[in-house]
Amino acid sequence: MAWAAAAGYLLLFAHYGAWDPALLALLGAMLVLYAVPAGAYLSVHRQRLAAALGAASQLVKIGGALAVRQHPTVEAVLTVNVLMSLPQALAIRVKPAFRGALLTLFRLVRGAPFQTLSLATTALGGLMQYVVAAAGGAVMLYYGFVLFQLSKMVYPALTIVPLMYGSLLTAADKERRALVDGAIILFLYAVPAAVMLKAPEALLAVLRPQELGNGELLAAMRLNAVALLLSGVQLHAWNVLLGVEPREILTLRDRPAKALLLDIAFFPANVLLTYVAVSRLGAVGLVAANAAALAYSAVVRLYYLPMWKPLLALYLSHFAALGAAVLVPPLPLQPSTNVAVALAVAAAYALYLAAPVATVLLAASPVYRQLALRLLNRRH
């Protein structure tokens, strides 16, 4: 299937006249590497290796960003994507040698409906770009791209998600494990969200300094802090739902599949909400619609979890911490168009706002107090 998709993309580009051999070779390599199934094995059986390879991919991304900045070409961008895909693709060397072709085929067929459902929800999410374009044109797509890039501040936190999912699968006390994992990953979401809410200019200066006077985009960035934290909540609730499911192979009758079906059922309403919000409110409406969809998805996942009450309390404590960061007086730092200075200013804000976020979480969440006591005991 991967090879067929790659061939289809190459023929499509060739048909429209984009017959650049180097470009097509890079695109084909990227599609094939993306399809290497080693990641599926790593995500279940080799979480530490998966996290290490994810970190290596992120380092390639950082170095690649500097390279693309010096040579901003399509070929450079695709080369970076190919190199980012290599660590996980090379992990195919550690995959198990499957024995028993018929048994393996049977297991694959049993799991295929759930995986297909997952792909369907992802594909529907991608269609929202067309809704945004229809409602707001190229300008709204541009704003959406800027907001998406700024949200990547949480990507380093995503490298530990496979570890947390693996630990939840084997944990005896799944509720405690889910709360501890949520406390760790959501703190890594709350701090950049606090910076986005309190000092969006500091972040915009890094990516789009020419937009520093754009009031609409800055207002959307502030609201995007809430959407960013909601995305962390939704991700954690989804991992918990998968981790507490006793079945090894998920089917359409299991709770995760039911949650995905409710996501699909919400898609028409999401299309309408996004179109109306973008048409009337612009970039702010775009973020508001996205936040509403994330909140709906998170609530659906909590509905199917037996430990939803303590998880909801944990999530609400993070929103309280985000609100407290707004009350902190601003630092006397101004955004700069110099990339190095802009990064330093953003980092200073992150360190500055981490303190009130941590203080509120320690006061409001028993999980954070337990983690703090454990860390203090280990130091002594």
Side-chain angles (χ1 to χ4, degrees), residues 232-254:
V233 168
Q234 191 266 0
L235 172 66
H236 178 253
W238 177 238
N239 280 335
V240 175
L241 185 59
L242 291 174
V244 301
E245 183 62 45
R247 290 179 185 271
E248 181 180 348
I249 298 177
L250 297 176
T251 67
L252 296 182
R253 293 176 294 179
D254 297 319

Side-chain angles (χ1 to χ4, degrees), residues 2 31-40 88-92:
L31 290 169
V32 172
L33 290 174
Y34 269 37
V36 172
Q88 184 166 286
L90 292 175
I92 197 171

Side-chain angles (χ1 to χ4, degrees), residues 7 12 82 91 125 129 141-142 144 147-149 185 202 222 256 265 316-317 328 334 352 354 358 373:
L12 184 65
V82 169
Q129 298 298 318
L141 286 176
Y142 165 68
L147 294 166
F148 171 70
Q149 294 301 321
I185 192 168
R222 289 189 171 91
L316 292 177
S317 68
V328 177
Q334 297 298 320
Y352 180 62
L373 289 174

Side-chain angles (χ1 to χ4, degrees), residues 26-79:
L26 287 169
L27 180 62
M30 184 179 70
L31 290 169
V32 172
L33 290 174
Y34 269 37
V36 172
Y41 169 68
L42 293 175
S43 66
V44 177
H45 299 288
R46 295 284 188 92
Q47 285 86 26
R48 288 198 176 103
L49 180 58
L53 293 175
S57 179
Q58 294 298 318
L59 290 175
V60 172
K61 178 188 290 187
I62 294 171
L66 297 175
V68 171
R69 192 176 185 87
Q70 298 298 320
H71 304 283
T73 62
V74 176
E75 286 80 3
V77 172
L78 288 181
T79 300

Side-chain angles (χ1 to χ4, degrees), residues 206-237:
V206 178
L207 188 62
R208 290 289 188 273
Q210 66 271 28
E211 297 284 358
L212 282 172
N214 190 328
E216 180 183 3
L217 186 55
L218 290 171
M221 284 181 62
R222 289 189 171 91
L223 183 58
N224 199 51
V226 177
L228 183 66
L229 190 51
L230 279 170
S231 71
V233 168
Q234 191 266 0
L235 172 66
H236 178 253

